[in-house]
Amino acid sequence: MSVLPSVFAASPSPQPSPRGGEGEIAAFLARQIAIFEAAHPRTLELAQASSAVWRGGVPMHWMGDWSSPVPLFAERAKEATLWDVDGHAYDDFCLGDTPSMFGHGREELQRAIADQALNGVGFMLPTVRSLRVGQLLTERFGLPLWQCATTASDANRAVIRWARAITKRRKILIIDGCYHGMVDDAFVVLKDGQATAKKGLIGQVTDLTQSTVVVPFNDLPAMSAALKRGEVACVLLEPVMTNCGMILPDEGYHQALRALCDETGTLLVYDETHTLSSGFGGYVREHGLRADILTVGKAIAGGVPAAVWGVSAEVAARMDAAQAEIGAGSSGIGTTLSGNALAIAGMEAMLTEVMTPEAYDYMQAGATYLVDGLREVIARQGVDWSVVHVGARAELVFASPTPRNAAEMRPHLEGALLPAFHLYLINKGVLIAPFHNMMLISPKTSYEATDRLVAAVEGFVKEYKALNI
């Protein structure tokens, strides 16, 4: 494990304000950048060369969203450890931002992919394996009928189209601060209480606020008012918000939402792409919720590009009726690569050999161990922070009590504190999700690695307090 030296000595100081002292934090960040650059000569060299062939220096622009001055160049990864080209090893609590949630380089997945690759990867035809995968999805998640997509974005787009077709309603409803992939309809947020296009949205020519309603998470009066107008085809949401920090539902929120959807004839769609980490059947199944439609992406095939979406028998019958009414022709739903034999092989291996009850038991126990450690640091160091936890996923929040919606969370995701924290962890040999403070436990994450993460967090807190902000 490569551990790079700290630049600040720990010393006690009064409890700081998470939003104060931006100048001091920026100076701290600058010193962390210097540490990174000194330790990563090969990474810097590759980043410069890469900028000549990739726009922004990376194959996909999100890869540039890390807090380091340039992204790490990964050399390899195994289980819950990643190595960069400069020879540093990292305890990986990001895990590709979920696709590798069950660990890197799984031999079960390798065997399935190699076997299928020898026999062809795409036929635009079903296989014996595809039948088995469909049965496994029904057993695991409870919905009877399924379709494949290549990404969760594709799955959510298809679901929105079908929801509009079978309800004959134009609008959908999403939650402020959500993310559901590259789905145009979901790029709407609340600003000063009014719906508007998300900041930074590129090339959008349609006024999305005319067909997308947005309400805060945990706000049942706003949800009720929106649904009772009878204009919304579906509510699309994560059961736990994981893309604007992690935000838990209030007690009874989902039960009340289900009742509202039933009362107003609105379809209820849960996106389990991240909350698949909540338990063996995902959050919805584990918590006894009832979805009309369910979407799952990222980890379902172990990182092989694949997603699935399932529907209730009633929704399937309504889909059939809508299709018959529309008639033959191009539906605008689906891609050639969706449900290809390679993705199906990956899903079968994950559902039968990797995503087991035993794996989830280990992950949840490991997450509890992590949460206990982080909360002990918070208490010991006297900072006004908190930890949010569901299943195998935890998040350190620079606020207490924990926010209940995106408007409360956003101020704690802004400024220099977040990137300073992330880069400090990188320099200590620890990776967490780059977009906020989410940490994921895999079945291959050791308790020793978790101890190192907790120690790094405490080291940061001490150095942060030493700034005397």
Side-chain angles (χ1 to χ4, degrees):
M1 178 65 57
S2 172
V3 179
L4 306 177
S6 172
V7 292
F8 284 86
S11 61
S13 68
Q15 178 175 309
S17 164
R19 297 291 299 136
E22 293 291 348
E24 291 85 349
I25 297 171
F28 174 83
L29 177 58
R31 297 194 183 203
Q32 292 298 318
I33 289 172
I35 292 173
F36 180 93
E37 290 179 340
H40 294 85
R42 177 65 174 151
T43 292
L44 295 174
E45 176 186 331
L46 288 172
Q48 183 175 4
S50 188
S51 66
V53 292
W54 295 109
R55 180 184 173 275
V58 287
M60 200 276 282
H61 67 92
W62 287 10
M63 295 177 184
D65 286 347
W66 296 81
S67 295
S68 46
V70 299
L72 296 170
F73 276 70
E75 184 174 76
R76 59 191 172 94
K78 185 67 176 176
E79 297 185 342
T81 305
L82 181 146
W83 289 265
D84 70 16
V85 294
D86 286 290
H88 305 300
Y90 300 86
D91 293 316
D92 189 1
F93 294 87
C94 173
L95 298 167
D97 194 30
T98 298
S100 299
M101 180 170 69
F102 293 89
H104 298 288
R106 293 296 301 244
E107 293 180 4
E108 305 92 336
L109 187 63
Q110 292 176 40
R111 288 194 300 269
I113 291 173
D115 174 68
Q116 189 60 61
L118 285 171
N119 293 288
V121 298
F123 319 121
M124 209 169 74
L125 289 169
T127 63
V128 173
R129 270 182 167 151
S130 65
L131 170 60
R132 177 63 176 143
V133 166
Q135 294 167 337
L136 290 166
L137 291 169
T138 294
E139 292 168 8
R140 171 92 43 138
F141 299 109
L143 291 170
L145 293 165
W146 292 84
Q147 285 281 275
C148 279
T150 305
T151 67
S153 298
D154 295 333
N156 286 324
R157 272 193 291 262
V159 164
I160 290 169
R161 294 280 292 276
W162 275 114
R164 286 172 169 154
I166 66 180
T167 63
K168 295 182 168 47
R169 297 175 179 178
R170 292 184 64 250
K171 295 184 178 182
I172 69 162
L173 185 147
I174 61 170
I175 303 298
D176 182 34
C178 73
Y179 180 75
H180 296 289
M182 292 192 299
V183 178
D184 287 1
D185 307 79
F187 281 85
V188 180
V189 296
L190 289 175
K191 183 177 182 181
D192 301 324
Q194 299 298 311
T196 185
K198 185 176 285 190
K199 182 181 178 182
L201 185 59
I202 292 173
Q204 181 55 249
V205 297
T206 303
D207 182 357
L208 299 174
T209 65
Q210 297 303 300
S211 56
T212 298
V213 179
V214 58
V215 301
F217 196 53
N218 285 321
D219 191 336
L220 286 171
M223 180 72 74
S224 177
L227 295 188
K228 287 184 177 180
R229 297 188 186 102
E231 301 174 328
V232 174
C234 71
V235 174
L236 172 61
L237 80 165
E238 293 182 291
V240 174
M241 292 197 74
T242 66
N243 283 287
C244 186
M246 195 159 74
I247 305 172
L248 298 177
D250 289 345
E251 184 72 27
Y253 174 76
H254 286 298
Q255 291 74 16
L257 174 57
R258 178 71 266 179
L260 279 170
C261 287
D262 289 340
E263 178 187 348
T264 59
T266 309
L267 297 175
L268 180 53
V269 183
Y270 283 112
D271 182 343
E272 286 261 36
T273 296
H274 276 169
T275 55
L276 183 64
S277 60
S278 298
F280 182 72
Y283 188 98
V284 169
R285 193 77 185 270
E286 292 295 308
H287 291 264
L289 308 184
R290 177 167 60 87
D292 295 309
I293 307 175
L294 191 73
T295 65
V296 185
K298 289 193 177 181
I300 195 67
V304 176
V308 293
W309 52 282
V311 299
S312 68
E314 178 186 354
V315 169
R318 294 176 70 183
M319 290 168 66
D320 293 343
Q323 186 74 71
E325 181 180 345
I326 293 168
S330 175
S331 66
I333 295 170
T335 64
T336 308
L337 291 176
S338 297
N340 69 78
L342 194 68
I344 291 290
M347 282 192 272
E348 183 186 40
M350 294 299 294
L351 291 166
T352 58
E353 299 182 72
V354 178
M355 297 166 56
T356 63
E358 295 77 16
Y360 274 102
D361 288 345
Y362 180 92
M363 292 159 70
Q364 293 183 356
T368 298
Y369 182 78
L370 168 61
V371 169
D372 289 346
L374 292 174
R375 286 176 176 162
E376 288 171 7
V377 168
I378 289 169
R380 190 160 51 240
Q381 296 300 325
V383 285
D384 196 20
W385 298 351
S386 58
V387 182
V388 184
H389 170 217
V390 61
R393 199 176 290 270
E395 174 134 5
L396 180 66
V397 181
F398 297 142
S400 182
T402 54
R404 294 178 56 250
N405 56 50
E408 293 177 5
M409 182 67 82
R410 286 187 181 107
H412 306 287
L413 300 177
E414 298 169 352
L417 177 58
L418 194 70
F421 175 64
H422 279 247
L423 184 52
Y424 181 92
L425 292 186
I426 290 172
N427 284 341
K428 292 295 184 181
V430 177
L431 301 180
I432 66 173
F435 308 109
H436 36 95
N437 290 339
M438 198 150 57
M439 306 162 190
L440 189 56
I441 299 291
S442 83
K444 300 297 184 179
T445 303
S446 70
Y447 284 82
E448 292 78 12
T450 301
D451 287 340
R452 289 191 290 268
L453 167 57
V454 171
V457 171
E458 185 153 29
F460 176 80
V461 175
K462 290 178 177 179
E463 297 196 28
Y464 172 49
K465 290 172 64 177
L467 298 174
N468 290 310
I469 295 171

